[in-house]
Amino acid sequence: MDGYDEAFLGLHVPLPRAGDARPTALLTYPHFSVLLDTSRRLAVSTGVNIDGATLVDLARTGDWELDPRIPVTVQAGPDVYAKNDLDRGHLVRRRDPGWGTTAQARAATEATFFYPNAAPQAAAFNQSKDLWLGLEDHVLRFADAEDVRISVFTAPVLDQADPPYRGIRIPGRFWKVAAWVSTDDEILAAAGFVLDQSALIDAASATATLSPVLGGFRTFQAPIADIAALAGVDLGPLVAADVLPAAARAREWRELTVAAEIRL
């Protein structure tokens, strides 16, 4: 399987790596890769290449399955999601690697259903059309409308304070960075986001419930340097490519309420 292509944008953009010596396994799939933290059983990072000029609109096919290349014991498999309100949230979205020929697109979209590409998300968080899905749709529409290539990196923030549940810890936050080459000056540009579902997670029982007091989840456009520090990952050239002006990076994160507020 070809995996994430670091030269896809015409510039070298490496897959984000862990900022420490934690044990990891690199898994490659058509058009994307997953770097799995084998102790947390969740992804440190994922990277997907999106070719807006050759995207193929396919009906949803594929079923969730364990990746046979690595031990079951290092994957957060079906037992994590049984009989609760947790969704198997795609990290690399099903549609994002679906480009090329129809056969290539179908193989790539179906590969997104391997469990290393999932992380537990509260149903209200994962199914929202306004921000979680809205943010991802916004990025995909940008690639499609402009016929540009985009690389997108997504993973949970693996915090040791995350509540334990069925042999894993449920992440309270997720991060996403979209990168592309600016058509004006042909330099790397990137935008970073943090999505917070901690208000939906009952830490005492580690179940996913909507809290009417705390509200749902919150989404921020955040400085990429802050994301690197928060998640403990090396984001390489993406930090310097941040589209947020330097002055804005020193201020508080920009909370988003609708996808139209996203700055790309």
Side-chain angles (χ1 to χ4, degrees):
M1 298 186 184
D2 53 358
Y4 167 76
D5 180 359
E6 297 186 345
F8 182 73
L9 299 180
L11 302 170
H12 184 244
V13 183
L15 182 73
R17 303 284 178 169
D20 54 25
R22 73 183 78 178
T24 59
L26 179 63
L27 300 166
T28 60
Y29 304 95
H31 301 158
F32 71 96
S33 296
V34 175
L35 184 64
L36 187 70
D37 182 328
T38 54
S39 60
R40 282 292 302 262
R41 300 163 61 193
L42 296 170
V44 174
S45 70
T46 66
V48 59
N49 305 126
I50 306 172
D51 186 352
T54 63
L55 282 167
V56 181
D57 189 12
L58 297 173
R60 182 185 179 102
T61 57
D63 295 309
W64 286 101
E65 56 185 305
L66 295 163
D67 192 317
R69 297 174 294 177
I70 54 174
V72 172
T73 53
V74 303
Q75 302 181 61
D79 291 348
V80 171
Y81 303 94
K83 298 180 180 180
N84 56 33
D85 291 330
L86 293 173
D87 280 353
R88 291 167 290 199
H90 277 81
L91 296 173
V92 172
R93 286 212 315 165
R94 180 189 66 86
R95 295 173 59 202
D96 286 356
W99 52 270
T101 68
T102 299
Q104 290 170 334
R106 188 170 303 282
T109 58
E110 291 184 350
T112 64
F113 286 92
F114 281 106
Y115 274 103
N117 186 45
Q121 294 173 352
F125 174 87
N126 184 43
Q127 297 171 12
S128 167
K129 297 292 189 288
D130 293 328
L131 282 176
W132 177 235
L133 292 183
L135 168 60
E136 296 177 328
D137 284 339
H138 187 83
V139 171
L140 194 64
R141 284 196 301 270
F142 176 72
D144 192 11
E146 302 296 327
D147 286 345
V148 298
R149 290 186 165 198
I150 292 182
S151 293
V152 178
F153 311 93
T154 308
V157 175
L158 300 180
D159 191 327
Q160 287 304 309
D162 293 335
Y165 182 67
R166 298 184 182 180
I168 67 164
R169 292 183 178 274
I170 300 180
R173 290 173 291 187
F174 294 79
W175 60 269
K176 183 182 297 291
V177 176
W180 64 97
V181 172
S182 170
T183 55
D184 293 334
D185 44 23
E186 297 186 350
I187 62 172
L188 185 67
F193 307 91
V194 173
L195 303 104
D196 191 331
Q197 69 168 0
S198 57
L200 303 179
I201 301 295
D202 179 348
S205 60
T207 56
T209 55
L210 181 62
S211 167
V213 177
L214 295 175
F217 61 88
R218 305 174 72 189
T219 305
F220 301 86
Q221 184 160 359
I224 296 173
D226 287 3
I227 294 173
L230 176 70
V233 293
D234 181 356
L235 293 175
L238 299 170
V239 173
D242 199 335
V243 296
L244 285 181
R249 299 177 205 175
R251 298 197 298 268
E252 294 182 2
W253 295 4
R254 298 176 60 246
E255 184 167 7
L256 306 175
T257 56
V258 293
E261 295 173 352
I262 297 168
R263 182 181 298 172
L264 295 178

